Amino acid sequence: MSIYQHFRPEEHDFIDQVIEWKEAVSHQYAPKLTDFLDPREQDIIKSIIGHDDDVKLDFSGGALDAECKRAFLYPEYYIPSLEDFQLKGYQLSYPEKFVQIEHRQVLGSLLGLGLKRNKFGDIYFHEKEVQLALSAEVSAFVELQFQAVGKVKVSLQEIPLSDLIAPKTQWDEVSTTASSLRLDVLVAAIYNISRQKAQLFIGAKKVKVNWKTVESTSFECAKGDILSLRGFGRSKIVTIDGKTKKDKWRIIAGKQK
């Protein structure tokens, strides 16, 4: 039985990479640290490493309940510590009494430095306080170069990882029906918009499934998928409960509070 049959075609390249990591740790008998992984990638790596006796697996994103985390694969003899994850925590200083900045602006400014998304972790907002986690290997560069968010001057102060606080994710469950499991149909049903509008959002790259932008309106969704629509928030498909008498899928979805 092929491992690939349990995953979507677009996930196969990542699966190949995980298998390479696993084999390298097993053959070289040395640990491997990954970049930041989104929760779907974490699930994939967990399912592939599984209960392997030779290769063990731990995750850390700095904060307790972090969403994006680095994975650390290691041989059974090795005892991992927090230092192995090579993480640094930061607080953003800016004139908060006079201006307001948003998550997407901080994210865009970090990417604008030429950073890849997998080199930094979650960005947390606690009212006007902004925190983030960085890979240690890019931290000196970011400290030096990250000087503005839009037109707002900013600076970074390193803080202990224990000071990073991830907000708890809460979901409101809603029940809906949909004529199919296509992405455009489900976005329309869950966010209570027209299918035409959903298609426009998808075409404009404003919709993500499992943290990846999806541009195909006919993309087939499944139980457990996390959807996000820019400006409308995040949702997840909790259950797909078969069909109604009118041949529509019964769906329980969670909408992030």
Side-chain angles (χ1 to χ4, degrees), residues 84-140:
D84 287 313
F85 289 93
Q86 297 177 36
L87 296 167
K88 287 197 173 185
Y90 289 92
Q91 187 157 310
L92 200 65
S93 289
Y94 67 102
E96 56 187 63
K97 289 183 180 178
F98 307 105
V99 294
Q100 188 172 349
I101 59 177
E102 298 177 358
H103 185 282
R104 61 181 177 82
Q105 295 173 312
V106 177
L107 177 62
S109 297
L110 287 167
L111 295 173
L113 297 178
L115 278 184
K116 291 186 176 179
R117 182 61 188 91
N118 57 14
K119 289 298 181 184
F120 58 96
D122 296 346
I123 301 166
Y124 305 124
F125 277 72
H126 306 287
E127 294 184 354
K128 292 193 172 185
E129 187 179 89
V130 184
Q131 298 179 330
L132 65 148
L134 290 174
S135 300
E137 61 266 27
V138 301
S139 60

Side-chain angles (χ1 to χ4, degrees), residues 29-207:
Y29 224 51
K32 163 69 183 174
L33 176 65
T34 74
D35 287 327
F36 282 97
L37 306 175
D38 64 44
R40 175 59 183 167
E41 291 169 330
Q42 293 167 39
D43 285 342
I44 291 172
I45 196 170
K46 276 187 238 177
S47 67
I48 293 171
I49 303 299
H51 302 290
D52 194 291
D53 290 332
D54 297 327
V55 180
K56 305 300 181 185
L57 179 65
D58 277 345
F59 294 95
S60 180
L64 195 67
D65 297 322
E67 187 172 87
C68 293
K69 298 176 184 177
R70 302 187 85 169
F72 189 69
L73 292 75
Y74 56 97
E76 58 180 339
Y77 77 87
Y78 195 91
I79 300 173
S81 67
L82 186 58
E83 285 70 33
D84 287 313
F85 289 93
Q86 297 177 36
L87 296 167
K88 287 197 173 185
Y90 289 92
Q91 187 157 310
L92 200 65
S93 289
Y94 67 102
E96 56 187 63
K97 289 183 180 178
F98 307 105
V99 294
Q100 188 172 349
I101 59 177
E102 298 177 358
H103 185 282
R104 61 181 177 82
Q105 295 173 312
V106 177
L107 177 62
S109 297
L110 287 167
L111 295 173
L113 297 178
L115 278 184
K116 291 186 176 179
R117 182 61 188 91
N118 57 14
K119 289 298 181 184
F120 58 96
D122 296 346
I123 301 166
Y124 305 124
F125 277 72
H126 306 287
E127 294 184 354
K128 292 193 172 185
E129 187 179 89
V130 184
Q131 298 179 330
L132 65 148
L134 290 174
S135 300
E137 61 266 27
V138 301
S139 60
F141 168 79
V142 177
E143 283 180 34
L144 190 65
Q145 297 295 328
F146 192 32
Q147 298 177 351
V149 172
K151 294 180 180 178
V152 180
K153 289 188 175 181
V154 301
S155 62
L156 286 178
Q157 276 79 46
E158 187 175 352
I159 59 174
L161 292 175
S162 56
D163 286 356
L164 290 175
I165 301 171
K168 293 277 188 184
T169 302
Q170 294 181 306
W171 302 89
D172 279 330
E173 288 196 356
V174 294
S175 178
T176 188
T177 59
S179 58
S180 80
L181 299 178
R182 283 171 52 113
L183 181 59
D184 57 346
V185 174
L186 287 184
V187 166
I190 292 170
Y191 292 98
N192 198 25
I193 58 176
S194 71
R195 187 171 173 183
Q196 184 180 20
K197 202 166 186 178
Q199 290 171 344
L200 289 172
F201 283 136
I202 294 165
K205 301 182 180 180
K206 292 185 176 181
V207 176

Side-chain angles (χ1 to χ4, degrees), residues 237-251:
I237 301 172
V238 180
T239 60
I240 299 171
D241 289 332
K243 291 193 170 182
T244 67
K245 290 178 181 177
K246 293 184 178 179
D247 205 36
K248 287 193 171 185
W249 291 101
R250 286 193 195 91
I251 293 161

